[in-house]
């Protein structure tokens, strides 16, 4: 794919490095390469289609970076493994990141790395053009929970079409508002806490906290549940998905309408089953919607669970101060 090792710019994302390298190379067009090797029209590509191509870049740069450090520095792929364990993959890490992750599907047809847009900061684009002669995509901006450029304090913009091109230089910056900045900080804090928990324990612990808050942790049959409370929780969650600033970057599909799973009594409970796999952003959204910061304590001691996801969850230790809202049925 590359005749010589490409030269990435500071903080540049792998897709951007690959695209620029093809642009500079007069011998091969990127459209032709994608059509030939991936059997995918280049201009109809969500981010996931790029994933297998990153390995070619990793090989071209292997003198400078191990595969694991390449993935960390040039891609945001490990973000998608937040709630996945090594046993969720067929091949060994880090090869699994390139091969298995691109194929992986989440519930409701949400393919991992569904994001169809690329994010950029208008100020960074202008600065990069001035410093390096080209705008480019930054790895940090592609994180799915990222809404603003931390350097410039403005909203990230989404590329307008599925057609891949480098960030435009003519977009106006918009200052980020306090509410969005708080959400972004909450999400980052929650991710940092989750990352401190061993990967097989992350989802069970988060789901256990959520079930406890919703007052459903001790109930195993649907008819035992407080149906009114669950309906209110569904409305609350649908509103959160409808009104979040994240909606610019995601298509939540059924989650934000009056459709399954949120219109069924057991909808949210189904989403909280440990053997279901949703996009990690969905778990994060549910967590920040229902749990306040003190309640996002995933570090409480839990006995290590077996690998059977259907095994009943042990209760987490209920903090002294815990009070479940009455609309969720209480504990
Ligand atoms: Zn910026």
């Amino acid at each position: 794919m590359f005749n010589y090792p490409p030269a990435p710019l500071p903080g540049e994302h792998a897709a951007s490095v690959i695209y620029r390298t093809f642009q500079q190379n007069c011998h091969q067009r990127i459209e032709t390469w994608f059509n030939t090797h991936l059997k995918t029209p280049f201009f109809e590509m969500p981010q996931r289609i790029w994933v297998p191509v990153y390995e070619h870049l990793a090989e071209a740069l292997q003198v400078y970076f191990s595969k694991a450090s390449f993935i960390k520095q040039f891609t945001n792929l490990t973000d998608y493994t937040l709630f996945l364990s090594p046993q969720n993959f067929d091949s060994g890490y880090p090869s699994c990141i390139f091969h298995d992750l691109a194929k992986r599907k989440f519930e409701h047809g949400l393919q991992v790395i569904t994001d169809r847009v690329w994010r950029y900061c208008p100020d960074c684009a202008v600065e990069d053009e001035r410093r390096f002669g080209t705008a480019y995509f930054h790895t940090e901006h592609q994180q799915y929970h990222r809404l603003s450029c931390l350097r410039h304090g403005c909203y990230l913009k989404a590329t307008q079409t599925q057609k891949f091109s480098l960030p435009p230089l003519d977009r106006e910056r918009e200052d980020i508002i306090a509410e969005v900045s708080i959400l972004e900080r909450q999400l980052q804090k929650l991710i940092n806490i989750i990352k401190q928990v061993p990967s097989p324990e992350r989802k069970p612990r988060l789901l256990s906290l959520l079930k406890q808050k919703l007052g459903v942790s001790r109930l195993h049959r649907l008819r035992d549940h407080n149906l009114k409370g669950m309906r209110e929780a569904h409305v609350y969650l649908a509103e959160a998905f409808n009104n979040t600033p994240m909606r610019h970057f995601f298509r939540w599909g059924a989650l934000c309408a009056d459709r399954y799973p949120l219109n069924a009594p057991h909808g949210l409970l189904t989403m909280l089953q440990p053997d279901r796999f949703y996009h990690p952003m969905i778990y994060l959204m549910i967590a920040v919607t229902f749990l306040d910061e003190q309640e996002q304590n995933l570090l409480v001691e839990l006995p290590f669970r077996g690998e059977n996801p259907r095994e009943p969850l042990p209760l987490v230790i209920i903090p002294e101060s815990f009070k479940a809202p009455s609309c969720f049925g209480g504990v």
Side-chain angles (χ1 to χ4, degrees), residues 21-175:
T21 307
F22 268 100
Q23 275 190 319
Q24 289 159 11
N25 178 356
C26 312
H27 303 298
Q28 196 175 22
R29 284 162 53 83
I30 193 166
E31 294 86 342
T32 313
W33 193 93
F34 271 83
N35 286 340
T36 313
H37 291 84
L38 298 180
K39 314 287 181 221
T40 309
F42 175 69
F43 289 133
E44 291 174 15
M45 290 197 310
Q47 288 193 27
R48 67 186 167 79
I49 303 292
W50 281 87
V51 178
V53 191
Y54 298 157
E55 192 162 19
H56 293 281
L57 182 60
E59 278 162 14
L61 296 175
Q62 65 187 349
V63 180
Y64 311 106
F65 304 96
S66 68
K67 272 192 183 170
S69 64
F70 170 87
I71 288 168
K72 197 159 175 241
Q73 186 162 334
F74 293 98
T75 76
N76 57 328
L77 297 178
T78 49
D79 297 347
Y80 294 89
T81 62
L82 189 65
F83 294 109
L84 297 174
S85 305
Q87 63 264 30
N88 294 130
F89 293 103
D90 296 333
S91 43
Y93 187 89
S95 303
C96 66
I97 297 287
F98 294 122
H99 301 295
D100 299 356
L101 194 57
K103 290 181 293 186
R104 194 171 182 86
K105 276 194 174 171
F106 280 145
E107 300 285 338
H108 292 281
L110 278 176
Q111 186 109 22
V112 74
I113 318 173
T114 44
D115 314 58
R116 297 190 77 89
V117 295
W118 295 85
R119 306 176 194 201
Y120 65 94
C121 159
D123 282 2
C124 283
V126 172
E127 273 186 22
D128 293 340
E129 169 75 22
R130 203 178 299 137
R131 279 181 70 195
F132 303 108
T134 178
Y136 60 91
F137 289 107
H138 289 242
T139 308
E140 183 188 63
H141 296 163
Q142 310 312 320
Q143 293 178 299
Y144 50 69
H145 62 281
R146 182 71 57 206
L147 290 163
S148 71
C149 172
L150 296 181
R151 210 161 104 73
H152 293 107
C154 58
Y155 282 103
L156 295 177
K157 303 278 183 187
T159 47
Q160 290 301 303
T161 63
Q162 292 166 16
K163 178 176 173 176
F164 188 93
S165 59
L166 296 175
L169 299 171
D170 55 355
R171 296 292 298 277
E172 295 261 321
R173 62 166 280 147
E174 279 178 79
D175 285 335

